[in-house]
Amino acid sequence: LTLIRRYWSHDERGILTAQTNVASCLGDLGRHDEALVLKREIYARRVAMGGAADETILTGGNLSSALMKVGRFAEAKTLLRDEMLPMARQSLGPTHGFCMDIEEWLVEALRMDPNATRDDLREAETIMQDVLQRRRRVFGPAHPSTAWCEGELARVREALAIRAQVNAGESKASPQS
């Protein structure tokens, strides 16, 4: 990174790529808070630079993953739902793989959030059903991404079933007036 900054300081994309690699290494070492700081900076600079939507989307995906690793699910959901998804739909279209990836990341954030409500899980199920339908149409039923969607939909439905059991147990345990 130091060499790139010294000799190729004009190459902003190269610097961001090197910083992305450093952030990934920090995450791999379990230094998630440090990785998050760097990934925020990288994403902000990619957005400010404009240009290729795919680079910004990948950087935003890295940021959303880092946010989830440190338990900031609400922030990850806001990033995915309010910033990245509208950008991807506008620039790439709803059947582009990256657009569907963002929706899948949103579903993961909704499902993995320990404070997820039943409505959150229903939203995740609805999104995943829609993405799965598009994946089947665009990539076919045998594509690995389609298979992953089927598995994620099953995980969302399992989480919904668990939530229903917990809610049923709570309603039985609470005294009725």
Side-chain angles (χ1 to χ4, degrees), residues 36 40 60 63-64 66-68 70-84 106 109 113:
L36 177 59
R40 281 184 198 279
L63 176 57
S64 70
L67 288 165
M68 287 189 273
V70 297
R72 296 183 180 181
F73 293 97
E75 197 174 341
K77 290 183 277 191
T78 299
L79 171 69
L80 293 164
R81 183 186 288 126
D82 299 344
E83 289 183 40
M84 294 180 59
L106 176 57
D113 186 348

Side-chain angles (χ1 to χ4, degrees), residues 6 11 27 40 52 67 93 115 132 168:
R6 179 181 295 165
D11 184 10
R40 281 184 198 279
L67 288 165
N115 298 316
L132 178 57

Side-chain angles (χ1 to χ4, degrees), residues 33-176:
D33 290 325
E34 293 172 79
L36 177 59
V37 169
L38 192 50
K39 288 178 182 185
R40 281 184 198 279
E41 178 185 327
I42 294 164
Y43 178 71
R45 286 173 50 201
R46 286 268 189 216
V47 169
M49 286 172 54
D54 58 342
E55 291 177 353
T56 305
I57 289 168
L58 290 173
T59 304
N62 289 338
L63 176 57
S64 70
S65 176
L67 288 165
M68 287 189 273
K69 282 183 181 165
V70 297
R72 296 183 180 181
F73 293 97
E75 197 174 341
K77 290 183 277 191
T78 299
L79 171 69
L80 293 164
R81 183 186 288 126
D82 299 344
E83 289 183 40
M84 294 180 59
L85 194 53
M87 174 185 55
R89 283 182 178 151
Q90 180 181 18
S91 62
L92 302 172
T95 58
H96 192 282
F98 282 157
C99 190
M100 291 185 274
D101 288 344
I102 294 168
E103 290 172 294
E104 291 166 5
W105 299 333
L106 176 57
V107 166
E108 282 186 294
L110 289 164
R111 178 181 56 81
M112 293 170 55
D113 186 348
N115 298 316
T117 65
R118 192 164 184 187
D119 287 341
D120 291 335
L121 295 173
R122 283 186 184 135
E123 178 186 0
E125 181 182 36
T126 300
I127 294 168
M128 201 74 255
Q129 287 172 329
D130 180 52
V131 172
L132 178 57
Q133 183 180 27
R134 282 182 281 145
R135 287 268 189 210
R136 284 179 178 150
R137 187 176 64 246
V138 173
F139 298 112
H143 192 275
S145 294
T146 305
W148 185 90
C149 282
E150 290 168 346
E152 183 62 15
L153 182 57
R155 288 184 287 276
V156 168
R157 288 179 172 158
E158 180 181 336
L160 261 170
I162 291 169
R163 175 68 60 189
Q165 289 174 348
V166 168
N167 289 348
E170 289 173 357
S171 66
K172 287 180 184 176
S174 65
Q176 296 182 358

Side-chain angles (χ1 to χ4, degrees), residues 5-38:
R5 283 187 173 145
R6 179 181 295 165
Y7 295 109
W8 297 284
S9 60
H10 62 282
D11 184 10
E12 183 76 10
R13 281 184 165 63
I15 291 170
L16 291 175
T17 298
Q19 286 181 310
T20 299
N21 292 337
V22 170
S24 293
C25 289
L26 289 169
D28 290 345
L29 292 170
R31 295 165 59 179
H32 300 296
D33 290 325
E34 293 172 79
L36 177 59
V37 169
L38 192 50

